[in-house]
Amino acid sequence: MPIDLNCDAGEGYGAWRMGEDEALIPLMTSVNIACGAHAGDPLVMRRTIALAQQHGVAIGAHPGYPDLHGFGRRVVPMPPDDVSAWLLAQIGALAGVARSLGATLQHVKPHGALYNVAADDPALAEAVARAVLAFDPALILVARAGSLQAQISRDLGLRVAEEAFIDRGYDAQGRLVARGTPGALIHDPALAAQRGVALARQEPITANDGTPLTLRAATLCIHSDTAGAPALAAALRTALERAGIVIRPLATILSD
Amino acid sequence: MPIDLNCDAGEGYGAWRMGEDEALIPLMTSVNIACGAHAGDPLVMRRTIALAQQHGVAIGAHPGYPDLHGFGRRVVPMPPDDVSAWLLAQIGALAGVARSLGATLQHVKPHGALYNVAADDPALAEAVARAVLAFDPALILVARAGSLQAQISRDLGLRVAEEAFIDRGYDAQGRLVARGTPGALIHDPALAAQRGVALARQEPITANDGTPLTLRAATLCIHSDTAGAPALAAALRTALERAGIVIRPLATILSD
Amino acid sequence: MPIDLNCDAGEGYGAWRMGEDEALIPLMTSVNIACGAHAGDPLVMRRTIALAQQHGVAIGAHPGYPDLHGFGRRVVPMPPDDVSAWLLAQIGALAGVARSLGATLQHVKPHGALYNVAADDPALAEAVARAVLAFDPALILVARAGSLQAQISRDLGLRVAEEAFIDRGYDAQGRLVARGTPGALIHDPALAAQRGVALARQEPITANDGTPLTLRAATLCIHSDTAGAPALAAALRTALERAGIVIRPLATILSD
Amino acid sequence: MPIDLNCDAGEGYGAWRMGEDEALIPLMTSVNIACGAHAGDPLVMRRTIALAQQHGVAIGAHPGYPDLHGFGRRVVPMPPDDVSAWLLAQIGALAGVARSLGATLQHVKPHGALYNVAADDPALAEAVARAVLAFDPALILVARAGSLQAQISRDLGLRVAEEAFIDRGYDAQGRLVARGTPGALIHDPALAAQRGVALARQEPITANDGTPLTLRAATLCIHSDTAGAPALAAALRTALERAGIVIRPLATILSD
């Protein structure tokens, strides 16, 4: 099984920068670009799309709750149908900028609090799926591996890429261990890379209660805001290549 | 010659409302919908598109300078190429929301300060034209009748609808008399309606220095933020119909 | 017992208006002015303070969650200590503008979701109280009559004015019946005015389960965003005056 | 003559950071803190004030044009009187947060485009001065050395600290050479430090046309967004100390 590597990018705003896009994007096969609601603006979008194109990396929309100050990391309470409208506008904004560079979107991956809530909330999951389907039914949704959202979205006819995290702890139900809790983060690049290989092979990893957990991920996420993310990504690539695992963009994996 | 009637709409934001969309949109054939930069948000966009659909009114994007507080009425100094990126994101956002309602965009009309500056500034006019062409070469650009922008955009291959204002004074060069200056506004609905008939017939109107001015407008604008705009629009429709002038959407006029 | 009448004001933003400040403020004795986070901007603040001064109405800060799009009506999840910082900046902003007009603040009344959550949440209530005390211990906090917040704030040494609503239904615990629920709103001005008289006299009103409810309010709130608010306020004033109840600003009531 | 060293700080926003406040602030005697309009938010303000207090550095307000996306580096066209209102709200916001930490403001220094325009524009200079005087006549205004603004503000009764830049080129009139122009920036820390000593001694420096230019600066600015700013500041401190020049906060210098 081939695997895709994705990271978030384009999360600056105006004069502010976030993450190390220049170093990290070349190591990815897919990149999730902020759409102006939690981060990003049309100039950052354009710069980020061009960077991805330059390195042959597939692009996707990374829409979030409309909350620049909170960086999309806190829930903005709103009806699911309103979330749909916000997603459509964000995906559309990025697609509009992409069009001027001759680029098209491969996927959509919700950001931050929206990613987390939609993973387990059926109404929100459906709202996200309907927005993506309405925008373009050929788009791939990236969702947490094993989540209710992955299943609901697939049932609604959406192409879904399940996603796993190489540097985060999981509980036995396949949920991420909350940041701030012991075991939430894997800091050792070698360990994270090793975990990435297991995930790519769909071999069980160890959940935080010691039980084995099998995730069927088509893509592995590198957190772009972790210090040392480029080094971690390089270590992961090396480990995957040594293990004979092909790294390629989502769209080519799902169409197999 | 048939004529199109257009107004701005969807210029609320969150809890705030602006204009009388419900009363005005049914009297138009084309409507310019704010895209979230100077006004509008995805929920307002959706509501406004649905309202236009309900009344069979064609929709267009109404992008502006990114300045909610200034409502797009003041210039935000930026390079023309950055204006392009902002336009692409705004047109894309509206088109994204429209897609979920099965609607497509007919036209683009820049808002406020951007409309005014682009009319006479070749670099900005070209930036606007390139953004619209990149997004969709079938879109119609609405520009001030007789403006440099109309000519530049046409030379670049864009479909252009020239626009005239029934309730604003013109100088001999076809520029609008600045608000606050005597003769800037025509308050009498009968006079404005009469002016609308002359403009639709491409008969000369009288500029503020008394000289005759002929504008070749395909669309007439009703300012949605003028008090009494619906009454003015109704008077205009009646006058046009009495004069035997057909009122229909831009796209059908330009394709004649 | 004298009573104060308060309403929210200055809730426009840039080109957008909200409420009928010009008609409503002259009928009040205290006015709560938005501070730029949920609504309001320095120009609106200045205009609103000047309007209050012109009619001899006392002014207060009306800080809210930082969420222009949501108008402060939805919770922005954040630690209580961060709410304190946001309140200090908002109260400070309004006080800064007021200073240039020779005006000083009489009170602070949290807005929308913050008002509701702080009323019952001890940690948030304390955060609000500490912000107000840090800014100026002479300021009066307006809080829901009978709320935990009123008690906590008083215990912390703050001057507290308890507040009741003439046009809203109450449950037996003194909480407002949620909007959208039967009995949430009292539409009849005569009934609302009559209720205002009972509240001013600290006579029991009838809760939504039929039981009597006594609130000890020093101020009555008129919702400025209710249609017909000025008419309602006028009816209330007449009823209070007929009942021999003196209407005067909070500060003069609390210092009795 | 003693000299003050100042830098901008607190120019992050939400999750975004800007500059190296932790390294730079301890090397200053005064720090200009963003107030939420071009950068900064109440949490960043609080953190930055606390950092300054910890190192015994005096704090001032650094208000700018309200334009987060443009970081206050572009002009927002507005009447001078509206600039006053925006300044009052910004200074008030920072002062409000400062109050909760027992801190008070020493000075006000306009940011970015506002700093540059106000230096030479009498109406804007007066608007700035009136805002500062209305807020607190004891505040010191930091303005470009030799500017019209310095003189106008002093004439209006304001305490003014004239400011010079150690790493920027000057023209013969004492204006900064525009960024992007040859000679705009002095990259060599040794050269910049040497220039700082000359400026502190009020000895002439060489303008970009070769003529001598004498500036009477009470404070020297270190650009916090220059790479290597802390190293530059350290070099400057060493050079000043070797030259026997006392480094101390503005307020103590102006009261001499």
Side-chain angles (χ1 to χ4, degrees):
Chain A
M1 268 295 283
I3 194 91
D4 172 79
L5 301 185
N6 82 78
C7 75
D8 300 347
E11 293 191 318
Y13 181 74
W16 291 287
R17 296 270 172 158
M18 178 73 69
E20 302 176 64
D21 290 2
E22 286 76 8
L24 200 52
I25 289 178
L27 301 169
M28 301 292 115
T29 40
S30 296
V31 68
N32 324 304
I33 302 176
C35 303
H38 77 278
D41 64 49
L43 312 181
V44 174
M45 291 182 210
R46 186 169 60 185
R47 196 162 65 220
T48 312
I49 296 167
L51 193 60
Q53 286 180 304
Q54 190 185 325
H55 295 285
V57 175
I59 60 169
H62 194 43
Y65 279 119
D67 179 14
L68 278 179
H69 188 265
F71 200 67
R73 287 179 181 153
R74 52 192 181 200
V75 172
V76 177
M78 57 169 86
D81 202 39
D82 289 3
V83 170
S84 283
W86 278 99
L87 290 192
L88 285 157
Q90 291 182 61
I91 302 169
L94 185 71
V97 175
R99 223 179 262 196
S100 73
L101 298 171
T104 48
L105 306 186
Q106 170 196 247
H107 68 282
V108 173
K109 173 177 163 180
H111 166 81
L114 183 58
Y115 181 91
N116 292 329
V117 178
D120 299 316
D121 177 329
L124 202 58
E126 186 174 331
V128 170
R130 293 212 183 282
V132 176
L133 283 166
F135 191 82
D136 181 356
L139 282 169
I140 296 166
L141 177 77
V142 175
R144 207 188 67 214
S147 64
L148 188 57
Q149 183 186 23
Q151 186 193 306
I152 286 174
S153 304
R154 215 176 272 120
D155 290 349
L156 288 167
L158 202 55
R159 299 168 72 200
V160 175
E162 304 205 10
E163 173 181 51
F165 298 88
I166 64 166
D167 57 352
R168 292 294 301 275
Y170 281 92
D171 69 16
Q173 284 71 47
R175 289 202 183 82
L176 296 175
V177 176
R179 286 171 192 269
T181 312
L185 296 171
I186 298 171
H187 293 290
D188 178 2
L191 215 68
Q194 188 184 341
R195 189 155 200 167
V197 171
L199 287 164
R201 286 183 169 150
Q202 308 201 346
E203 292 170 354
I205 58 170
T206 307
N208 68 341
D209 66 352
T211 59
L213 174 73
T214 304
L215 298 171
R216 297 171 49 173
T219 185
L220 301 178
C221 179
I222 312 297
H223 282 104
S224 53
D225 51 356
T226 308
L232 182 58
L236 175 62
R237 287 194 75 101
T238 304
L240 290 170
E241 283 159 6
R242 278 192 193 148
I245 295 163
V246 177
I247 306 169
R248 47 185 236 215
L250 268 186
T252 71
I253 297 176
L254 290 207
S255 64
D256 280 357
Chain B
M1 267 296 281
I3 194 91
D4 171 79
L5 300 186
N6 82 78
C7 75
D8 300 347
E11 293 191 317
Y13 180 75
W16 291 287
R17 296 269 171 158
M18 177 74 70
E20 303 176 63
D21 290 3
E22 287 75 9
L24 200 51
I25 289 179
L27 300 169
M28 301 292 114
T29 40
S30 297
V31 67
N32 324 305
I33 302 176
C35 302
H38 78 278
D41 63 49
L43 312 180
V44 174
M45 290 182 211
R46 187 169 58 185
R47 198 163 62 220
T48 311
I49 296 167
L51 193 60
Q53 287 181 302
Q54 189 185 327
H55 295 286
V57 175
I59 60 169
H62 194 43
Y65 279 120
D67 180 13
L68 278 180
H69 187 266
F71 201 69
R73 287 180 181 151
R74 51 194 183 199
V75 172
V76 178
M78 55 169 86
D81 202 38
D82 290 3
V83 171
S84 282
W86 279 100
L87 290 192
L88 284 157
Q90 292 181 62
I91 303 169
L94 186 71
V97 176
R99 225 180 261 196
S100 72
L101 297 172
T104 48
L105 306 186
Q106 169 196 248
H107 68 281
V108 174
K109 174 177 162 180
H111 167 81
L114 183 58
Y115 180 92
N116 292 330
V117 178
D120 299 316
D121 176 329
L124 201 58
E126 186 173 332
V128 170
R130 293 213 181 282
V132 176
L133 283 166
F135 190 82
D136 181 356
L139 283 168
I140 297 166
L141 176 77
V142 174
R144 207 188 66 214
S147 66
L148 188 55
Q149 184 186 22
Q151 186 193 305
I152 286 174
S153 304
R154 215 176 272 120
D155 290 350
L156 288 167
L158 202 55
R159 298 168 74 201
V160 176
E162 304 204 11
E163 172 180 52
F165 298 87
I166 63 165
D167 57 352
R168 292 293 301 276
Y170 281 92
D171 68 17
Q173 284 71 45
R175 289 201 183 83
L176 296 175
V177 175
R179 285 170 192 268
T181 314
L185 296 170
I186 297 171
H187 293 290
D188 178 3
L191 215 67
Q194 188 184 342
R195 190 155 199 170
V197 172
L199 287 164
R201 285 182 168 150
Q202 307 201 346
E203 292 171 354
I205 57 169
T206 307
N208 69 340
D209 67 352
T211 59
L213 174 73
T214 303
L215 298 171
R216 297 172 47 174
T219 185
L220 302 178
C221 179
I222 312 297
H223 283 103
S224 54
D225 51 356
T226 308
L232 182 58
L236 174 62
R237 285 194 77 100
T238 304
L240 290 170
E241 283 158 8
R242 277 191 192 147
I245 295 162
V246 177
I247 305 169
R248 46 186 237 214
L250 269 185
T252 70
I253 297 175
L254 290 206
S255 64
D256 279 356
Chain C
M1 266 293 282
I3 194 91
D4 172 77
L5 300 185
N6 81 78
C7 75
D8 300 346
E11 292 191 318
Y13 181 73
W16 291 287
R17 294 273 173 155
M18 178 74 70
E20 302 176 65
D21 290 3
E22 285 76 8
L24 201 51
I25 290 178
L27 300 168
M28 301 292 114
T29 39
S30 296
V31 68
N32 323 306
I33 302 176
C35 304
H38 78 278
D41 64 50
L43 312 181
V44 174
M45 291 181 210
R46 185 170 58 187
R47 197 163 64 221
T48 311
I49 296 166
L51 192 60
Q53 287 180 303
Q54 190 185 326
H55 295 285
V57 175
I59 61 169
H62 195 43
Y65 279 120
D67 180 13
L68 277 181
H69 187 266
F71 201 69
R73 287 180 182 152
R74 52 193 183 200
V75 172
V76 178
M78 56 169 86
D81 201 39
D82 290 3
V83 171
S84 283
W86 278 101
L87 290 192
L88 285 157
Q90 292 181 61
I91 302 169
L94 186 71
V97 176
R99 223 178 263 195
S100 72
L101 297 171
T104 48
L105 306 186
Q106 171 196 246
H107 68 283
V108 174
K109 173 178 163 181
H111 166 81
L114 184 58
Y115 180 91
N116 292 328
V117 178
D120 299 315
D121 177 329
L124 202 58
E126 186 173 333
V128 171
R130 294 214 182 280
V132 176
L133 283 166
F135 191 84
D136 181 356
L139 282 169
I140 297 166
L141 177 77
V142 174
R144 207 188 65 215
S147 64
L148 189 56
Q149 183 185 21
Q151 186 192 308
I152 287 174
S153 304
R154 215 176 272 119
D155 290 350
L156 288 166
L158 202 55
R159 298 167 73 201
V160 176
E162 305 205 10
E163 172 180 50
F165 298 87
I166 62 165
D167 57 352
R168 292 294 301 275
Y170 281 92
D171 68 16
Q173 284 70 45
R175 289 200 182 84
L176 295 176
V177 175
R179 284 170 193 267
T181 311
L185 296 171
I186 297 171
H187 293 290
D188 178 3
L191 215 67
Q194 188 184 343
R195 190 157 200 167
V197 171
L199 287 164
R201 285 181 168 152
Q202 306 200 348
E203 293 170 354
I205 58 170
T206 308
N208 67 341
D209 67 351
T211 59
L213 174 73
T214 303
L215 299 170
R216 298 171 47 175
T219 184
L220 301 178
C221 179
I222 311 297
H223 283 104
S224 54
D225 50 357
T226 307
L232 183 58
L236 175 63
R237 287 194 76 101
T238 304
L240 291 170
E241 283 159 7
R242 276 190 194 148
I245 296 161
V246 176
I247 306 169
R248 47 185 237 215
L250 270 185
T252 68
I253 297 175
L254 290 206
S255 63
D256 278 357
Chain D
M1 266 294 282
I3 194 92
D4 171 78
L5 300 185
N6 81 79
C7 75
D8 300 346
E11 293 190 318
Y13 181 75
W16 292 286
R17 295 273 173 155
M18 179 73 70
E20 303 176 64
D21 290 3
E22 286 76 8
L24 200 50
I25 289 178
L27 301 169
M28 300 293 114
T29 39
S30 296
V31 68
N32 323 305
I33 302 177
C35 304
H38 78 278
D41 63 50
L43 312 180
V44 174
M45 290 182 209
R46 185 169 59 186
R47 197 163 63 221
T48 311
I49 295 167
L51 192 60
Q53 286 180 303
Q54 189 185 328
H55 294 285
V57 175
I59 60 170
H62 195 42
Y65 279 120
D67 179 13
L68 278 180
H69 187 265
F71 200 69
R73 287 179 181 151
R74 51 193 183 200
V75 172
V76 177
M78 56 169 85
D81 201 39
D82 290 3
V83 171
S84 283
W86 278 101
L87 290 191
L88 285 157
Q90 292 181 62
I91 302 168
L94 186 72
V97 175
R99 223 179 263 196
S100 72
L101 298 171
T104 48
L105 305 186
Q106 171 198 244
H107 67 282
V108 174
K109 174 178 162 180
H111 166 80
L114 184 59
Y115 181 91
N116 292 329
V117 178
D120 300 316
D121 177 329
L124 202 59
E126 185 173 333
V128 170
R130 295 215 180 279
V132 176
L133 283 167
F135 191 84
D136 181 356
L139 284 168
I140 297 166
L141 177 78
V142 174
R144 208 187 66 214
S147 64
L148 188 56
Q149 183 186 20
Q151 185 192 309
I152 286 174
S153 304
R154 214 176 273 118
D155 291 349
L156 288 167
L158 202 54
R159 298 168 72 201
V160 176
E162 306 205 8
E163 172 180 51
F165 298 88
I166 64 166
D167 57 351
R168 292 294 301 276
Y170 281 92
D171 69 17
Q173 283 71 45
R175 290 202 182 81
L176 295 175
V177 175
R179 284 171 194 267
T181 312
L185 297 170
I186 296 172
H187 293 289
D188 178 3
L191 215 67
Q194 187 183 345
R195 189 154 199 168
V197 172
L199 287 164
R201 285 181 169 151
Q202 306 200 349
E203 292 170 355
I205 59 170
T206 309
N208 67 342
D209 67 351
T211 58
L213 174 72
T214 303
L215 298 171
R216 299 172 46 176
T219 183
L220 300 178
C221 179
I222 312 297
H223 283 104
S224 53
D225 51 355
T226 307
L232 182 58
L236 175 62
R237 287 194 76 99
T238 305
L240 290 169
E241 283 159 7
R242 276 191 196 147
I245 296 162
V246 176
I247 306 169
R248 49 186 235 215
L250 270 185
T252 69
I253 297 175
L254 290 207
S255 63
D256 278 357

